[in-house]
Amino acid sequence: MELDDSFIAAWAKRLYMVKLLREITTGHSGSRIFEAEAGLRRYILRVSPFSEKKQAHAEFETRWTAYLASRMEGIAKPVRSVNGRRYEVMKAEGRPYILALQEKAPGKLVDSDDPDVFNQELFFHLGMQMGNMHKWTMRYEGNVACPEFQWNGPHFWRKDIAVLDEDVRQAETRLQRELEQLPMGKDSYGIVHFDIHTGNFLADHDKITIIDFEACQFNWYAADIASTLFFMVQKGAGPLRHLTEEARTAFAETYLISYLNGYFKTHTIGADWIRRLDLFMRYQMIDEYVAAQIGWPDVSDPMRQWYLDWHKNRLKSHQPYVFLDYEKILDQVYPVMQEKERIDKQPGSGLW
């Protein structure tokens, strides 16, 4: 039975001194999301069914986001309750729930069908924002990998969901072995958002605010870049758009060059990690396969099977999600990174 809104409104007022305005039903979160207000200020309230795993992750997530929000702009800032906590546990109708409040960010969601906003300028600023986020995370004292919140750990969203197709299962095993061999140094592995798509950031002219950190985890920074590349290609040139491979490649190349030019304005990452983006996206194809397997609205829809087969056939034949010439891309973007490294090393930069 779904929790009655009156309970949520009462607890929101008691714990955060805010008034609920409306429920936000877009997105596919397992939580309920509400817009709230206090005076002229707007907030976002998240209400999640309680479990010990979710409570542990709420502590992990809100500590990190509070740290980021205190050091950079463009992060949805957690708001403490009247008890001084970053999240609260309440009971209603005999069941416990986790409440977390954050400031409502300026801007709006991006329409990927609108070239006036879904364009190279947006991609550049998204890259800048993610580079800045990765840079500050590397300095975060809580950025010490632990098995509980790792990419393939107990919080992995599909850990207990069976992959129905044998070819996809074999691909997952193969790719996971490859990933497990990658280095996990402090400059390459740490806490990442890992769910940055057009539903999880807001654009306000040239400012990007990242929201919804529920999927945050320990993973490679390059995996965070690859995940965002995957989602942006999915929106602009995904299989359901039925574009030619040449058109898909052209979109992905334009996106990635713009994104990396922005990323390298605020942070750096080695060329070998850019060359590994394809590996991370292949693994994400399995995530997308499982998401479609369990979440397609109509299981009898023939397009569902076509979509599943599209991903399965790519995985089975070792094809990438999108064909990209990474050496060509690196030739265009690395001068930007090298210039940033030169500036950072100058006396007085604060980094050396």
Side-chain angles (χ1 to χ4, degrees):
M1 181 181 294
E2 192 171 77
L3 179 62
D4 190 283
D5 289 1
S6 63
F7 287 102
I8 299 173
W11 280 100
K13 183 177 181 180
R14 176 177 174 181
L15 293 171
Y16 294 102
M17 303 298 290
V18 298
K19 175 184 176 182
L20 292 192
L21 296 178
R22 66 186 182 94
E23 184 169 5
I24 300 172
T25 56
T26 57
H28 303 284
S29 171
S31 304
R32 296 185 66 190
I33 310 297
F34 296 85
E35 184 176 355
E37 70 174 359
L40 298 177
R41 306 192 71 171
R42 296 295 177 94
Y43 301 90
I44 300 297
L45 178 70
R46 186 177 77 204
V47 183
S48 310
F50 176 87
S51 71
E52 290 185 358
K53 281 186 178 181
K54 286 185 177 181
Q55 183 177 22
H57 194 273
E59 177 65 26
F60 168 68
E61 172 196 340
T62 56
R63 281 188 61 207
W64 177 50
T65 53
Y67 162 84
L68 288 177
S70 70
R71 285 159 176 79
M72 61 178 284
E73 295 182 349
I75 299 294
K77 185 178 181 179
V79 177
R80 290 184 181 269
S81 71
V82 295
N83 300 314
R85 303 186 184 109
R86 293 185 304 273
Y87 66 90
E88 289 278 359
V89 177
M90 70 168 210
K91 283 190 175 181
E93 300 178 333
R95 297 180 182 180
Y97 296 86
I98 299 172
L99 275 69
L101 190 74
Q102 65 184 38
E103 293 180 355
K104 185 180 180 183
K108 59 183 180 179
L109 297 175
V110 170
D111 180 358
S112 58
D113 291 320
D114 183 354
D116 288 338
V117 292
F118 193 69
N119 54 32
Q120 293 178 60
E121 183 180 3
L122 175 78
F123 308 154
F124 176 87
H125 289 294
L126 180 60
M128 284 186 66
Q129 185 68 347
M130 288 184 65
N132 209 21
M133 184 168 65
H134 291 169
K135 176 187 72 177
W136 282 110
T137 298
M138 287 174 62
R139 305 174 188 181
Y140 173 45
E141 64 178 11
N143 190 35
V144 180
C146 64
E148 184 177 13
F149 302 118
Q150 290 207 127
W151 59 281
N152 58 349
H155 286 267
F156 183 31
W157 70 273
R158 60 179 180 84
K159 187 173 182 65
D160 298 321
I161 301 173
V163 179
L164 299 182
D165 186 89
E166 177 62 25
D167 289 324
V168 179
R169 286 198 297 271
Q170 289 182 10
E172 179 178 30
T173 300
R174 181 180 71 248
L175 291 167
Q176 188 162 328
R177 286 173 181 164
E178 288 188 56
L179 291 170
E180 288 170 347
Q181 299 305 309
L182 296 178
M184 298 170 65
K186 288 187 176 181
D187 62 339
S188 60
Y189 190 88
I191 306 174
V192 299
H193 186 289
F194 206 65
D195 196 26
I196 296 178
H197 50 72
T198 53
N200 278 345
F201 66 84
L202 302 173
D204 184 22
H205 301 291
D206 61 348
K207 295 181 180 179
I208 300 286
T209 300
I210 297 174
I211 62 176
D212 192 356
F213 289 76
E214 275 195 282
C216 68
Q217 59 189 254
F218 285 99
N219 207 325
W220 291 271
Y221 298 116
D224 208 20
I225 295 171
S227 174
T228 306
L229 170 59
F230 183 98
F231 285 131
M232 299 301 270
V233 171
Q234 184 185 56
K235 282 293 185 180
L240 292 175
R241 288 189 176 267
H242 302 287
L243 302 177
T244 65
E245 288 295 343
E246 291 77 11
R248 297 184 74 245
T249 296
F251 173 85
E253 183 179 284
T254 297
Y255 164 80
L256 188 56
I257 290 171
S258 299
Y259 173 95
L260 290 175
N261 279 330
Y263 189 94
F264 291 149
K265 288 288 186 182
T266 54
H267 192 45
T268 59
I269 189 169
D272 284 346
W273 289 107
I274 302 303
R275 297 184 181 101
R276 291 181 174 117
L277 296 182
D278 176 64
L279 170 61
F280 292 116
M281 284 196 293
R282 288 175 195 247
Y283 191 73
Q284 188 142 355
M285 275 200 282
I286 299 168
D287 282 356
E288 184 62 21
Y289 181 93
V290 175
Q293 170 190 297
I294 64 173
W296 199 277
D298 180 4
V299 295
S300 65
D301 181 358
M303 188 56 66
R304 173 183 181 271
Q305 191 59 51
W306 178 91
Y307 191 71
L308 291 171
D309 288 344
W310 188 94
H311 289 84
K312 180 182 78 169
N313 292 335
R314 292 247 168 174
L315 290 163
K316 183 178 179 180
S317 58
H318 302 265
Q319 292 186 68
Y321 184 66
V322 62
F323 290 92
L324 283 170
D325 184 340
Y326 290 101
E327 298 307 319
K328 175 184 175 183
I329 291 169
L330 287 167
D331 285 344
Q332 295 192 51
V333 302
Y334 249 68
V336 178
M337 190 200 79
Q338 291 168 344
E339 175 63 14
K340 182 184 186 307
E341 289 181 325
R342 183 189 69 78
I343 294 172
D344 287 348
K345 290 179 181 179
Q346 290 179 352
S349 68
L351 298 178
W352 296 87

